Amino acid sequence: MYSPSFYQIAPVIAVCASLAAVPLIALSGSRPNLREFWTFLAAGIKFAMVFSLAGWVLAGNVVEVDLIRILPELSISFRVDSFGMVFALVSSFLWIVAATYTIGYMRGLQEHAQTRFFICFALSLCAAIGVAFSGNLLTMYVFYEMLSLSTYPLVAHHQDREGRAGARKYLAFLLGGSVGLVLPALIILFVLAGTLDFAETIQTGIVPEGTGTTMVVILFFACLFGFAKNGVMPMHAWLPGAMVAPTPVSALLHAVAVVKVGVFCTTRVMLYVFGIDLMDELNLGIITAYIVSFTIVMASIIALTKDNLKARLAYSTVSQLSYIILGVALLAPAAVQGGLIHIVNHAFAKITLFFCAGAIYVATHKKNISEMGGLGRVMPFTFGAFAIASLSMIGAPPVGGFITKWYILVGTLDAGQLAIILVLLASTMLNVGYFAPITYKAFFGKPPAGVTYEPGIKEAPLIMVVPILVAATISVAIGIFPEYMMQFVKMVIP
Amino acid sequence: MEDLFLFIVANYNYWASLILLFIGLYGMVAKNNLMKKIIGMVIFQTAILLFFVSVAVKRGASVPIIKFTADNQPILEATAYANPLPHVLILTAIVVGVATLGVALAILQKIQRVHGTIEEDEVLEDLRK
Amino acid sequence: MIDQVPALIIIIPLFASLFLTLVGSLGHRFSYILLIAALAATFACSLLTLGLVVDDNQTIQYRMGDWPPPLGIELVIDHLSGVVLVLIAGCALLTAMYSLHPAKQDNPDRLNHYYALFILLVTGLLGMTASGDLFNLYVLLEISALSSYGLLARGRGPAYFATFKYLIVGTIGACFYLLGVGYLYIMTGSLNMVDLTALLSQPELQESVSVRIGFTLIILGIWIKMALFPLHAWMPNAYSKAGTTTACLIAPLMTKVSVYIMLRIMFTVFSVDYIFNSIAWSHLVIYLASAAAVVGMIAALAQSDLRKMLTYIIVAEIGYMTGGAWVANASGFIGATYHILADGLMTLCLFMAVGAVIYRTGDASKTAMRNLFQKMPVTAVVLVIGAASIIGIPPTCGFFSKWYLIQGAAQAEAWVFVAALLIASLVAAIMFFRLLEIAFFGDLDATDEHEGSQHGHGHHGPAVAREEAPLSMLIPMVITAVAVIVLGVYTKEVVNYFIIWSVPVGL
């Protein structure tokens, strides 16, 4: 416990640590070790700050910081509560893990423009934490845009035709959604409500009474589809395209930071702007639940057809993200808890999966699943971790994904939505369908014709394998000991 | 019919300047020769100047210099003098018009040197090359 | 002494212009220093005046030659005109600093005459902003227009014809304005703005057809001058053929000042009630403004010439401001006035950056941007900031003006305008990202043959020599870029200290 004034500064430091690292990284571009030291230092400070805030939040406090009052009625402000803490903890912790892995990956492949890469990486983390801690919609929007822009060079990293096409699509969807849908919704909301601060509780929201139903519905869907990072169909199309990025980018940004920011914004708006009461009254929750159910099933089916490992993972992400929104949209306490805890569970599992894909690529330069037969015997740690993470995706105990499925199922029953149960069942079957064969073939299948592996273990560099194992271990740990993270979620909705 | 006639005659100064205005505008918009455009511009400006000056006229009034009656008393009635203000304004506007004309002619000369013509369509063709 | 400061704002540049025509024999350096000194003094005076206005919280009415209005000419400096004066003087000072190298390149002979015209234009703009007299405004309008013809024609070659067309159209605009002023004078017998406000509020004049015609002619004239769609055709050619410094000076300021004049005519001379109730044009004008925003941006997207692209952006921005002024509420008005400042700075920022690129590469098309980040990193960053502001990305000022404008449009339920603003932003985003992609990664079509090797890792691309613009261009550029962000961050202060006060009664 520190003095309360410390907690006023801590969120600012947490957000700005990586921002401050940017010039340092840029200046030490010619000395890679020093450059990486700055990344780690910033990541360490960031995590320390978030973690110290976590204890304070658990004690029942909410930190509110007013940074700059930009318009007479609006300010850039931070608010650290249990809802944002879930996301902030995960992303700041995973930055450390991912930074380790990234160094191995980038050096292993001797990638070009590494300095630019680390700069953008740091910027995007600043934006992600900024979103997690934002105290009103304007702040959230500002950091959301910052994230879109700072990740653009990462997606376009290879600078070839494919990379640019992916990056263009990425920006087109994200900016199109945010400028075209979210911004007007924001301003109209501001005109209606006179404020953009999030509500104190998740019940009431800030939309004033007497607002026309049509208007509320339009605003709601503008937010649902406008935060295109959440991957709800049909705004998901950027996600597979963005997988041309180097694997660490896909791992941290497109399994954790970027997409989770999208989901976080969506759920934040659902709960703290519209509020459970209003969503219940207008049946918005159920409609949303059906929309995202469609995404869950469709994305899983598309994933089945993909042979490129990263593409399959991308569609799996699209599907899993909708779980989170589904949970919240059901509005039953257990389902909301399940949805929110899935931010954590999915983050650890999916980052493991992407790390594995990257490790396989670095070690063997293989991208396609059909070429991976028998590879498990050469890279047992990688594929072991892969198997664990797939279990989490499927939702089998004792891995984290099970907790999610359990809560969401309970919530679905509470809400009395039997059709959704069918969706959950179908998606679980599909998850098994597209994950199990990968592991099975890797361990028990034969290598593709003309390829023989020398006996013995030939893993990726240690600096990559360790993060994989750490992430996989935590994935199991949060399945067995879910309480720590559940505390935060339960503070949002008891 | 008679009313219309009276209306036109009573305000003939306005109508005259209006006609000039349109002649000028026509010249500026429709003529192909750039010199004729400039002439149109001058007519256009002059029309407005005339419009202003004609406003100052009063029936039976004289130049705005204070006059004296036989017993050396100054005549201070506004109706006795034409309104001087429009004249002053128009003096300035004439200067502006002359300056514009000067700049226009200078640019026209440059156009002639660069493109070898002052016909708009030929200049455009030359530019396209 | 301090009472005379408002007059100095106009007198200093006027006399500097006179001196500059005479000092040709003293060389480039001297003219440059004289220009900078005069503009710096003007800037200081305008800052001081604004300080006085804000300090006492009241309008300064300065009588030229101590003749009392309505006959004498008044300079009226309130919060709005004060801040626009600072903008003009500041932008002009920055451009003047910037001009050291490019102006010499563009004007190998008689640089002092170029500078004389330069500062005469600034005089005209400052005078238009400060003047409280409709006819005086016309004269200053023509002074700035005439000097801008002279400046633009110095671009040589195709610039002559473009300037000629601008001259014809500009004269039509100014004459319409003059004719409209004539109508108002006939009906009221006054030319002083404050006096006119009182006279025009009489009920019989509110209904008068002549007053209505006068208003229509004035507004039409100003619209031509500010290049509101569809009266914008003269602008892109005239501005894009001009010399580098000329474009930097004229493009951001001329149209902005015209917008300011429109606001003055609408809300100072006439009243809110008259504009929005007696003359019920606002629907039509909002459609025009929306069309301007969308058409301008799309036309900009289609250009391959960089400066032509920027001028079409100005066409779109004019649409923003016009729409904001005509949605008839306070947010829209604040948006429009704030956007005068924001747009002045961000277009200056872009024109300077593009000017530096043209200065270094001698190429004005998009290919000049190739590998800009490696060649001219500072210029590239300035360009990015300007672009971000045009698109409307926080915390640049462009975001906040768009915020107010959309808020105003939403309050007025002018959904067409909301949609137009958003579409324009998106189109701007596409445009600048295509540009920055070339700047960042090089031109893809040109590197096609290296495609194979690009796939290989560890490829560092062709080594590009660093070739940054000279310091005299970089410093003003960076200052402008910083100003774009500072203005954005201090939006609240700008609105509260300057703009709020000028929101007309009844909005």
Side-chain angles (χ1 to χ4, degrees):
Chain A
M1 288 295 135
Y2 303 92
S3 70
S5 60
F6 167 79
Y7 295 108
Q8 289 288 310
I9 307 169
V12 184
I13 300 177
V15 172
C16 295
S18 44
L19 199 63
V22 167
L24 298 171
I25 295 174
L27 287 177
S28 46
S30 53
R31 297 169 64 190
N33 286 335
L34 181 65
R35 180 184 68 199
E36 263 71 293
F37 167 73
W38 296 123
T39 302
F40 276 115
L41 185 69
I45 294 175
K46 192 182 272 282
F47 181 67
M49 287 299 145
V50 174
F51 192 72
S52 61
L53 279 165
W56 184 250
V57 168
L58 270 185
N61 300 292
V62 171
V63 183
E64 287 185 342
V65 190
D66 225 9
L67 275 188
I68 330 166
R69 195 146 271 277
I70 269 190
L71 301 183
E73 311 84 359
L74 265 181
S75 58
I76 294 290
S77 64
F78 289 141
R79 169 169 147 181
V80 185
D81 57 7
S82 50
F83 186 84
M85 190 46 84
V86 177
F87 178 54
L89 269 176
V90 173
S91 48
S92 62
F93 177 72
L94 282 178
W95 189 25
I96 303 178
V97 180
T100 322
Y101 177 86
T102 309
I103 292 164
Y105 182 91
M106 297 303 270
R107 292 189 180 177
L109 291 176
Q110 293 172 352
E111 281 281 357
H112 68 137
Q114 292 194 15
T115 307
R116 181 181 80 202
F117 185 88
F118 281 106
I119 288 176
C120 294
F121 220 87
L123 276 176
S124 54
L125 254 296
C126 165
I129 301 293
V131 168
F133 285 167
S134 51
N136 58 31
L137 265 171
L138 179 71
T139 317
M140 196 161 98
Y141 179 80
V142 171
F143 282 109
Y144 183 90
E145 292 288 34
M146 181 177 161
L147 184 62
S148 307
L149 296 181
S150 58
T151 46
Y152 166 81
L154 294 177
V155 176
H157 184 79
H158 289 312
Q159 303 187 11
D160 51 13
R161 207 168 273 284
E162 198 191 357
R164 282 189 201 189
R168 263 186 210 164
K169 204 171 182 183
Y170 178 74
L171 262 192
F173 271 85
L174 296 192
L175 278 186
S178 65
V179 177
L181 293 172
V182 175
L183 184 61
L186 218 73
I187 295 175
I188 293 171
L189 203 61
F190 180 63
V191 171
L192 290 174
T195 175
L196 286 177
D197 293 345
F198 297 124
E200 294 295 322
T201 64
I202 60 172
Q203 297 294 333
T204 52
I206 61 166
V207 181
E209 278 181 47
T211 310
T213 312
T214 329
M215 184 55 100
V216 175
V217 172
I218 291 174
L219 289 178
F220 182 83
F221 284 107
C223 290
L224 180 65
F225 293 112
F227 287 117
K229 289 187 178 121
N230 62 17
V232 171
M233 283 182 180
M235 299 298 277
H236 72 291
W238 60 271
L239 218 162
M243 289 301 156
V244 296
T247 310
V249 176
S250 312
L252 181 67
L253 300 178
H254 300 123
V256 187
V258 172
V259 290
K260 289 292 153 51
V261 161
V263 173
F264 179 82
C265 292
T266 315
T267 47
R268 181 69 124 170
V269 168
M270 282 161 86
L271 294 176
Y272 289 86
V273 172
F274 290 95
I276 287 184
D277 295 345
L278 188 64
M279 283 176 65
D280 211 22
E281 191 188 317
L282 300 178
N283 287 326
L284 286 171
I286 296 309
I287 301 169
T288 314
Y290 281 106
I291 291 173
V292 295
S293 297
F294 174 77
T295 307
I296 292 176
V297 176
M298 264 321 281
S300 301
I301 292 173
I302 298 173
L304 268 179
T305 67
K306 296 288 174 192
D307 186 39
N308 184 310
L309 179 58
K310 276 175 75 178
R312 190 175 283 195
L313 292 180
Y315 276 102
S316 154
T317 304
V318 173
S319 161
Q320 295 283 333
L321 289 174
S322 284
Y323 266 92
I324 301 171
I325 304 179
L326 173 68
V328 175
L330 286 171
L331 300 178
V336 176
Q337 289 168 359
L340 295 183
I341 199 71
H342 200 49
I343 292 182
V344 184
N345 294 334
H346 176 249
F348 281 99
K350 192 43 73 63
I351 205 168
T352 314
L353 292 173
F354 271 111
F355 280 172
C356 292
I360 295 166
Y361 181 71
V362 169
T364 67
H365 281 270
K366 286 189 201 309
K367 283 179 174 171
N368 292 332
I369 296 162
S370 52
E371 301 166 0
M372 292 177 188
L375 206 55
R377 293 188 291 268
V378 184
M379 306 176 71
F381 292 111
T382 305
F383 274 94
F386 194 94
I388 292 173
S390 329
L391 284 182
S392 179
M393 290 288 137
I394 295 164
V399 198
F402 170 69
I403 307 290
T404 310
K405 280 260 161 82
W406 176 262
Y407 276 98
I408 293 187
L409 268 174
V410 171
T412 315
L413 288 174
D414 287 349
Q417 295 294 330
L418 296 181
I420 302 290
I421 293 190
L422 288 179
V423 170
L424 291 174
L425 280 177
S427 108
T428 309
M429 301 307 288
L430 285 164
N431 283 341
V432 174
Y434 64 79
F435 273 124
I438 305 176
T439 323
Y440 178 79
K441 277 187 196 150
F443 282 110
F444 305 108
K446 287 194 178 71
V451 178
T452 47
Y453 295 115
E454 291 169 26
I457 295 172
K458 186 172 164 288
E459 281 280 2
L462 197 63
I463 193 170
M464 296 173 75
V465 177
V466 171
I468 295 178
L469 295 179
V470 169
T473 315
I474 294 177
S475 219
V476 177
I478 51 177
I480 301 173
F481 308 106
E483 293 83 10
Y484 182 71
M485 292 314 286
M486 277 312 275
Q487 297 174 71
F488 294 103
V489 173
K490 287 199 164 145
M491 281 173 75
V492 174
I493 180 163
Chain B
M1 193 61 213
E2 204 178 344
D3 287 350
L4 183 68
F5 183 71
L6 274 179
F7 178 63
I8 291 174
V9 169
N11 299 305
Y12 71 94
N13 55 329
Y14 295 155
W15 292 106
S17 57
L18 199 68
I19 290 165
L20 282 177
L21 202 71
F22 277 103
I23 292 174
L25 200 60
Y26 169 78
M28 284 156 97
V29 176
K31 285 294 170 193
N32 187 38
N33 185 303
L34 299 181
M35 191 64 213
K36 286 183 181 164
K37 273 184 192 283
I38 293 183
I39 295 173
M41 185 180 85
V42 174
I43 295 174
F44 187 74
Q45 284 178 322
T46 312
I48 294 171
L49 305 184
L50 288 174
F51 169 78
F52 258 89
V53 173
S54 68
V55 166
V57 174
K58 287 176 193 163
R59 201 173 294 274
S62 73
V63 283
I65 299 170
I66 291 188
K67 286 184 299 190
F68 295 89
T69 50
D71 51 352
N72 227 1
Q73 289 296 313
I75 302 173
L76 293 176
E77 286 147 24
T79 48
Y81 307 105
N83 185 352
L85 191 67
H87 291 92
V88 177
L89 299 181
I90 274 350
L91 215 55
T92 321
I94 289 172
V95 176
V96 170
V98 170
T100 316
L101 179 63
V103 174
L105 286 172
I107 294 174
L108 187 64
Q109 207 178 14
K110 286 287 190 184
I111 290 176
Q112 205 276 333
R113 279 193 203 149
V114 170
H115 301 288
T117 174
I118 54 167
E119 297 293 326
E120 187 174 12
D121 51 356
E122 291 170 21
V123 173
L124 284 173
E125 203 166 307
D126 192 49
L127 278 172
R128 232 170 272 136
K129 271 187 278 182
Chain C
M1 179 60 202
I2 202 148
D3 299 340
Q4 308 300 324
V5 167
L8 287 179
I9 295 177
I10 293 161
I11 289 171
I12 294 174
L14 185 65
F15 276 86
S17 154
L18 203 62
F19 281 125
L20 274 164
T21 51
L22 304 175
V23 297
S25 58
L26 294 173
H28 291 172
R29 264 293 149 189
F30 185 78
S31 323
Y32 180 72
I33 291 169
L34 186 58
L35 178 78
I36 298 279
L39 282 172
T42 314
F43 183 59
C45 286
S46 53
L47 268 184
L48 193 60
T49 316
L50 181 65
L52 288 176
V53 172
V54 173
D55 227 26
D56 303 343
N57 231 337
Q58 63 179 13
T59 308
I60 295 179
Q61 289 172 308
Y62 180 88
R63 294 170 182 179
M64 277 295 192
D66 207 20
W67 287 87
L71 286 179
I73 292 171
E74 241 187 343
L75 296 184
V76 179
I77 300 174
D78 58 6
H79 291 83
L80 180 58
S81 55
V83 80
V84 175
L85 285 176
V86 171
L87 174 82
I88 296 169
C91 286
L93 179 61
L94 289 171
T95 314
M97 282 159 71
Y98 177 88
S99 74
L100 180 59
H101 292 283
K104 216 186 285 173
Q105 193 187 42
D106 291 340
N107 305 279
D109 56 334
R110 291 183 297 167
L111 186 68
N112 61 317
H113 287 181
Y114 176 79
Y115 279 153
L117 282 175
F118 183 109
I119 201 163
L120 191 62
L121 173 65
V122 179
T123 314
L125 295 176
L126 290 166
M128 279 160 81
T129 311
S131 178
D133 182 283
L134 283 185
F135 188 81
N136 190 233
L137 184 65
Y138 163 76
V139 175
L140 289 159
L141 187 82
E142 283 294 47
I143 287 179
S144 57
L146 283 169
S147 39
S148 75
Y149 305 146
L151 287 173
L152 290 171
R154 284 209 154 208
R156 300 205 165 73
Y160 294 129
F161 185 63
T163 312
F164 186 83
K165 295 200 85 168
Y166 171 36
L167 185 143
I168 295 285
V169 179
T171 307
I172 295 180
C175 285
F176 273 169
Y177 174 84
L178 183 61
L179 196 58
V181 171
Y183 270 91
L184 292 189
Y185 177 70
I186 291 173
M187 295 313 291
T188 61
S190 177
L191 292 167
N192 183 287
M193 287 189 194
V194 182
D195 201 29
L196 273 170
T197 317
L199 291 168
L200 283 172
S201 60
Q202 297 162 21
E204 66 269 21
L205 284 185
Q206 292 270 313
E207 297 301 319
S208 156
V209 179
S210 301
V211 171
R212 195 161 293 191
I213 293 175
F215 175 77
T216 313
L217 285 169
I218 290 178
I219 285 287
L220 212 60
I222 295 171
W223 281 353
I224 292 176
K225 280 279 179 192
M226 75 190 202
L228 177 68
F229 175 85
L231 307 169
H232 67 283
W234 57 270
M235 195 177 78
N237 268 322
Y239 285 5
S240 61
K241 303 284 189 296
T244 309
T245 326
T246 314
C248 287
L249 179 70
I250 295 184
L253 292 180
M254 284 285 271
T255 46
K256 289 326 136 319
V257 174
S258 308
V259 173
Y260 163 82
I261 301 297
M262 178 182 77
L263 293 176
R264 264 282 122 100
I265 299 287
M266 281 170 71
F267 298 115
T268 304
V269 177
F270 291 87
S271 60
V272 173
D273 182 55
Y274 188 77
I275 303 290
F276 298 116
N277 294 333
S278 291
I279 302 202
W281 290 355
S282 49
H283 281 284
L284 179 73
V285 181
I286 286 170
Y287 276 105
L288 272 185
S290 311
V294 174
V295 173
M297 275 302 176
I298 290 175
L301 184 64
Q303 302 305 318
S304 62
D305 183 290
L306 288 173
R307 276 192 298 178
K308 220 169 195 171
M309 181 184 98
L310 295 185
T311 45
Y312 273 109
I313 292 178
I314 295 182
V315 172
E317 306 280 334
I318 292 294
Y320 293 4
M321 286 177 269
T322 314
W326 285 83
V327 293
N329 56 41
S331 309
F333 179 85
I334 294 174
T337 27
Y338 181 78
H339 201 62
I340 291 180
L341 309 177
D343 196 44
L345 285 175
M346 66 206 195
T347 41
L348 179 66
C349 188
L350 284 173
F351 267 95
M352 278 181 168
V354 166
V357 173
I358 295 172
Y359 177 73
R360 273 293 182 228
T361 61
D363 182 4
S365 68
K366 279 187 180 166
T367 47
M369 304 293 293
R370 203 177 296 159
N371 288 322
L372 190 69
F373 276 90
Q374 286 88 37
K375 269 192 295 192
M376 308 168 75
V378 181
T379 311
V381 170
V382 171
L383 191 77
V384 169
I385 293 174
S389 187
I390 296 275
I391 301 170
I393 293 169
T396 54
C397 51
F399 174 77
F400 297 99
S401 53
K402 215 161 273 183
W403 178 276
Y404 274 115
L405 289 171
I406 296 180
Q407 194 188 333
Q411 276 169 1
E413 305 197 335
W415 303 118
V416 185
F417 188 48
V418 176
L421 283 168
L422 295 170
I423 293 170
S425 309
L426 288 175
V427 175
I430 295 171
M431 173 167 59
F432 279 111
F433 276 105
R434 278 188 1 190
L435 203 61
L436 294 178
E437 209 180 60
I438 299 175
F440 209 68
F441 301 130
D443 203 346
L444 197 60
D445 299 320
T447 54
D448 250 359
E449 56 267 35
H450 305 299
E451 183 93 6
S453 64
Q454 289 254 326
H455 270 300
H457 296 293
H459 179 78
H460 284 274
V464 186
R466 182 153 300 188
E467 207 186 15
E468 192 51 90
L471 211 59
S472 67
M473 294 169 88
L474 279 186
I475 293 172
M477 248 155 64
V478 171
I479 294 177
T480 319
V482 171
V484 166
I485 294 175
V486 169
L487 183 66
V489 172
Y490 289 98
T491 305
K492 184 197 75 178
E493 281 74 11
V494 172
V495 170
N496 275 354
Y497 285 121
F498 309 123
I499 296 178
I500 279 287
W501 301 98
S502 49
V503 174
V505 193
L507 276 189

